[in-house]
Amino acid sequence: MKSHPILIHTHFHNKRTGVTRSIENVFPFFQKDFDTYIFGYGVEGRRISLVKMLKLVFSKRSFILHCHRNNEILLALFFRLLGGNFKLISTRHAETKPSVVTEYLLKKSDHVVALTKSMSDDLSIPSVVIGHGVDQKVFKPQSLVVRKEVSQKHILSCAGRVREAKGQKLLLEVVAPLLPNHKDWALAIIGKVDDSAFLKELKAIVAEYSIEKQVYLIPETPEIVSFYQASHSVVVPSFTEGFSLVCAEAMSCACNVLASRGVGVHSEIITENKTGYLFDVENRGELEGLLSKLFKGELKHLGEAAQKEVSEKWSSKIEACNLMKLYSSSI
């Protein structure tokens, strides 16, 4: 009986990030056609130890090694120096223009994956665009979900790392003057705080407008799906993103999504006024206009169309199929 080709994903990172979730989302789909392993830590999946990894390298047996960060590519290149017989796939996860070191490492890869077209365009080397996918068995619509910690009828959520680049301060500065006139609306900012000083800035804005009873600062939670399901709308006001799984996951839950234009995958996954709404982070008036209409009930809810868009084009199954095509072409 012919054995399956070996596929190994690397993950050397303690924090759970979008990279972590993206690997976990696609990993189960590979197991039918590949003998799959995780080399590293911080992610769920069948692991291969360093000892077994070295045995595989020294055996000269061919396999596919998929890396996601510079330190992982460096380790892969070390294995290649030891005689490892593998095809190296590297995914570029950052939206910023790559450094000289990063480009050098990517050039050593047999294939490079970019998450978005704009990310691919910023690379000086050929790449294939394969966006992340959403696990729609988890991120799915569900009616009548209520978050007991929020007393208002309507929830506007903003999820992700709480830091300057994610745009929570921009959102709060725009929404704070509006909330006092719309008592049935609440803003939930959900995520792990990276900088306590930044959190103080957010709390200062809340205090300035006396909206403590309408703004909820909620720590990172494993119950994020139910927050999406309970939310009327989700705002993704990031200044920069590698991909933006939050946007895709919220859409998958049939939320009405408002996202920053031209950031991450926002302008690719959202068709303006059809599957969601886009705004320029440099134009506060544009975001203010959208939120004002939202609170007044004048903004059409596009959650159903958003959920359909993700189902047809951005599911984890679709991402896995695209990756498997790349893997198969490498064998």
Side-chain angles (χ1 to χ4, degrees), residues 10-22:
T10 58
H11 188 280
F12 286 83
H13 199 68
N14 284 317
K15 295 179 180 178
R16 287 189 60 81
T17 65
V19 177
T20 313
R21 298 206 313 279
S22 68

Side-chain angles (χ1 to χ4, degrees), residues 70 73 92 98-107 123 125:
N70 283 3
I73 301 174
R92 171 68 176 166
S99 66
V100 174
V101 172
T102 298
E103 288 226 340
Y104 172 80
L105 293 174
L106 292 175
K107 286 177 181 178
L123 296 175
I125 53 179

Side-chain angles (χ1 to χ4, degrees), residues 284-320:
R284 296 189 177 206
E286 191 173 12
L287 176 57
E288 182 182 1
L290 287 171
L291 292 175
S292 181
K293 287 182 178 180
L294 177 69
F295 293 160
K296 292 176 183 177
E298 299 172 356
L299 197 69
K300 185 178 179 181
H301 193 287
L302 302 175
E304 185 177 340
Q307 195 275 335
K308 184 179 179 182
E309 173 74 10
V310 173
S311 179
E312 293 178 352
K313 299 178 184 178
W314 303 93
S315 71
S316 53
K317 182 177 181 180
I318 292 172
E319 179 190 2

